[in-house]
Amino acid sequence: MYETTRTTQALAFAILLAPAISHAADSAPSTITQSSSGISSAAIAKPALPASLTAVKADDYKDPDLWARIRSGYAIPDVDNALVAKHIQWYASRPDYLARTSGRASLYLYHVVQELEKRGMPTELALLPVIESAFNPQALSTADASGLWQFVPGTGKDFNLKQNMFKDERRGVLASTDAALTYLQRLYTMFGDWQLALAAYNWGEGNVQKAIQKNRAAGKPTDFESLAELMPAETRNYVPKLQAVKNIIANPGQYGVSLPVIDNQPYFTTVDKTSDIDLAVAAQLAEMSIDEFKALNPQFKKPVITGESTKILLPKENAEKFHLNLAQWGHALSSWTTHKITGARETIASLASKFGTTPEVIRQANNIPPQMRLKAGSTILVPKTSTSTASDIAENIIDNAQIALEADRGDSKRKGQKLSGAQRIKASAANAVAEIKARVSRGNKPALNSHGRKHR
C-alpha cells in the first residue's frame, strides 16, 4: 500500500479509511443545508468581480502553512454577536470534530484556496465547506444536497455538474468547487456585499432581495444583521457559523484549539483517462487503496470509470506510479460493459448466468435492492465476457442510461411463495426509493420546502 511521507497525508488517509460520516451526523447543531439558486441555465455566466477585488498570484505566498495563507486573505467584514460566540464555543469544545474536518480538508483545501485567489475572492470562503459538509465530499443531506458545497440535483444541473448513472459531479472536487465559486461570485456581483451573498447562497437570492425591499420600504438598514430577523434560523446562523470558524482559524490558541499543519503546496494532480478503466484497477496502478482513491475521486458511482474527457485526481507521487505501472500493464483496463433489459424474462439470475457472474455481483454493481427486479428498458452494468464488445461504453449510453425497478412479486408467485407482511413493506419501500432515484437521474428538481425555496 502506498505510504505518504507527509504527516498531514497520513492523518488524512487514516481518517478517510474510517466509515463515511453523514452530513447530518457530523455537523454542528442546526446544520444549514437549505438554499435556493432560483436561476436558469441561461442566466449563469462567470461575472467579472468589482475592480476592488483583484486576483493574486499563488507564488506570492511562501508560508509553509496553508492556514497562514488563508488568514492573509481574509476580506469579509466581521460579524460580532451572540450567535458567533455560541458557535465558537461549539466548535472549540469539540477538538475531535475539528481534527476530523481538518484531516479531510487537507486533501482539498489547497485547491480551493488557489481557485479563490485566481478569482480575487476572500480566502475565508475556503472555510465554507466546514459549514456545508464538514469537508466530506460524500455528505448527503435529507434534501439530496451532495458534496463539499452541497448542491441539490437541480442547481447542480444549472451549473453544468453532470449527474448520471456513472458519476455525480456535485461530489467531484474540481467541478463542484468551480460551480460554487461561480455562484458566490454571481451573488456578490448582485448584492455588492459578501455577507448578503453568503445569506443568498444559503437562502436564495430571491428571498434576500425581498427582505432588502421590505426593510428599504420601512426605512430600515439592509445589511445582514438588520435583515436577520426576516431570515429563517438556518440563514441567521449561517454567516455567524462561518465567522466562528474564521475566528478560530485566525487565532486557534485563543480558543484552546490546535490545528494540524496543512502544507501550502498542491496535494493532488490531474491524470487524463484515455479509456474506460475499472476503479479498482486505477487504484492498483496508482498503488493506493480503494478508500484513498475514492477520497480524491468521490464523483465516480460505479466500479468502472467512463467518459472521454474524464480526469482522475492523484497525489503527485502516485500519479508518477500510475503512469509507470500503466505502461507495463498487460491486462484489460476495464472488465465492465452495459446491457439493456428487453423484457421481464431477463431476470437478475438469468443475467448472472449469461454474463458468468452471480446475482449478488450484478445487484451490487447496480445498487439493486433485494426483492426488486429490473424493468424493461433499464440499462445496467454487467461483466464483459469473451463475446462482449471490447470498446468503451458509448457517451450516449453514459449520458442517458437509467435503471427502473419494481417489486419482484412475480417470481414469488411463480414459485408458489408469498411475501410476508414485512417483506411486502420492505419491497414497497425499496420501490419508492428506486423511483425517487430514477426521478433524480432524469434531472427532476426537488419540490419547494416550507420556506418556499429549494434546498441547494
Side-chain angles (χ1 to χ4, degrees):
M1 180 183 294
Y2 162 65
E3 294 184 4
T4 178
T5 59
R6 293 190 292 183
T7 302
T8 303
Q9 293 178 343
L11 171 62
F13 281 151
I15 293 169
L16 285 157
L17 288 173
I21 303 169
S22 71
H23 184 32
D26 197 11
S27 54
S30 303
T31 297
I32 302 145
T33 57
Q34 296 179 346
S35 183
S36 164
S37 67
I39 51 181
S40 66
S41 303
I44 298 168
K46 293 186 179 180
L49 284 178
S52 59
L53 292 177
T54 56
V56 181
K57 292 181 180 179
D59 291 343
D60 291 345
Y61 295 94
K62 301 299 183 183
D63 196 297
D65 182 11
L66 188 58
W67 297 120
R69 180 173 172 180
I70 292 172
R71 294 181 197 113
S72 70
Y74 280 3
I76 300 176
D78 290 333
V79 175
D80 185 10
N81 58 30
L83 287 176
V84 174
K86 170 188 171 183
H87 294 304
I88 287 176
Q89 193 280 329
W90 192 94
Y91 287 113
S93 65
R94 289 164 174 80
D96 291 346
Y97 174 85
L98 289 179
R100 290 195 303 272
T101 302
S102 298
R104 290 191 290 265
S106 67
L107 277 66
Y108 322 116
L109 198 55
Y110 180 93
H111 173 74
V112 177
V113 173
Q114 189 175 47
E115 292 303 304
L116 285 166
E117 290 171 354
K118 286 179 181 178
R119 297 169 182 243
M121 298 171 71
T123 51
E124 61 260 56
L125 293 173
L127 306 175
L128 198 58
V130 175
I131 312 304
E132 289 287 349
S133 62
F135 269 100
N136 179 1
Q138 300 288 358
L140 183 67
S141 78
T142 55
D144 203 23
S146 185
L148 295 175
W149 301 93
Q150 290 290 282
F151 281 96
V152 292
T155 308
K157 192 174 182 181
D158 287 339
F159 282 90
N160 300 316
L161 297 177
K162 287 189 176 181
Q163 300 158 69
N164 55 45
M165 190 174 89
F166 295 90
K167 67 180 176 180
D168 186 346
E169 287 186 340
R170 295 178 300 156
R171 297 176 182 173
V173 178
L174 302 184
S176 71
T177 297
D178 180 71
L181 301 194
T182 296
Y183 187 21
L184 286 164
Q185 278 186 305
R186 179 183 184 275
L187 294 171
Y188 179 75
T189 301
M190 180 181 295
F191 295 105
D193 180 293
W194 280 114
Q195 292 175 4
L196 293 181
L198 287 165
Y201 186 81
N202 175 253
W203 192 25
E205 60 261 44
N207 289 313
V208 173
Q209 286 171 331
K210 289 177 183 177
I212 289 173
Q213 291 167 0
K214 185 172 183 179
N215 265 21
R216 188 172 289 153
K220 296 180 180 179
T222 57
D223 59 285
F224 174 80
E225 293 200 73
S226 298
L227 296 174
E229 64 181 12
L230 301 178
M231 298 175 180
E234 297 92 342
T235 311
R236 279 200 306 273
N237 281 272
Y238 194 69
V239 173
K241 277 188 177 183
L242 180 61
Q243 183 69 54
V245 175
K246 174 180 172 179
N247 289 357
I248 290 172
I249 300 304
N251 194 348
Q254 177 180 343
Y255 305 104
V257 172
S258 178
L259 294 176
V261 174
I262 299 181
D263 292 337
N264 186 17
Q265 58 182 312
Y267 182 82
F268 57 77
T269 186
T270 59
V271 173
D272 290 325
K273 179 195 71 63
T274 56
S275 62
D276 287 0
I277 183 171
D278 288 359
L279 191 146
V281 171
Q284 182 180 346
L285 293 176
E287 299 184 22
M288 300 169 70
S289 72
I290 295 292
D291 291 311
E292 291 168 349
F293 185 87
K294 284 184 175 180
L296 287 176
N297 301 279
Q299 69 271 32
F300 301 128
K301 298 164 60 178
K302 296 297 182 184
V304 60
I305 301 171
T306 61
E308 294 177 357
S309 59
T310 300
K311 294 183 182 297
I312 295 171
L313 302 187
L314 299 172
K316 183 178 179 181
E317 299 89 341
N318 298 85
E320 294 170 356
K321 293 177 180 178
F322 179 90
H323 289 301
L324 288 173
N325 291 330
L326 179 61
Q328 302 174 35
W329 186 255
H331 311 283
L333 290 173
S334 170
S335 60
W336 296 92
T337 187
T338 57
H339 174 77
K340 192 163 187 176
I341 306 302
T342 57
R345 290 186 178 181
E346 287 194 291
T347 65
I348 292 176
S350 69
L351 289 167
S353 177
K354 179 178 180 179
F355 291 99
T357 186
T358 65
E360 290 72 23
V361 167
I362 289 182
R363 285 188 181 277
Q364 184 175 7
N366 295 281
N367 299 318
I368 303 172
Q371 299 171 337
M372 299 295 291
R373 68 181 179 189
L374 293 156
K375 288 185 178 181
S378 295
T379 298
I380 64 168
L381 272 186
V382 292
K384 288 182 177 179
T385 66
S386 57
T387 59
S388 297
T389 176
S391 61
D392 291 345
I393 298 172
E395 287 291 326
N396 67 308
I397 294 177
I398 294 171
D399 292 336
N400 300 307
Q402 295 182 22
I403 293 181
L405 304 173
E406 62 185 357
D408 192 5
R409 299 185 183 93
D411 287 350
S412 297
K413 290 179 180 179
R414 283 193 295 270
K415 295 175 183 177
Q417 299 175 345
K418 291 185 179 180
L419 293 174
S420 67
Q423 287 173 325
R424 285 196 301 273
I425 293 172
K426 186 175 181 179
S428 177
N431 196 23
V433 170
E435 182 61 27
I436 291 172
K437 288 183 176 179
R439 289 202 303 271
V440 169
S441 70
R442 291 193 296 268
N444 290 8
K445 296 186 178 182
L448 296 177
N449 64 18
S450 59
H451 296 294
R453 66 187 188 281
K454 292 183 298 180
H455 294 267
R456 186 177 57 266

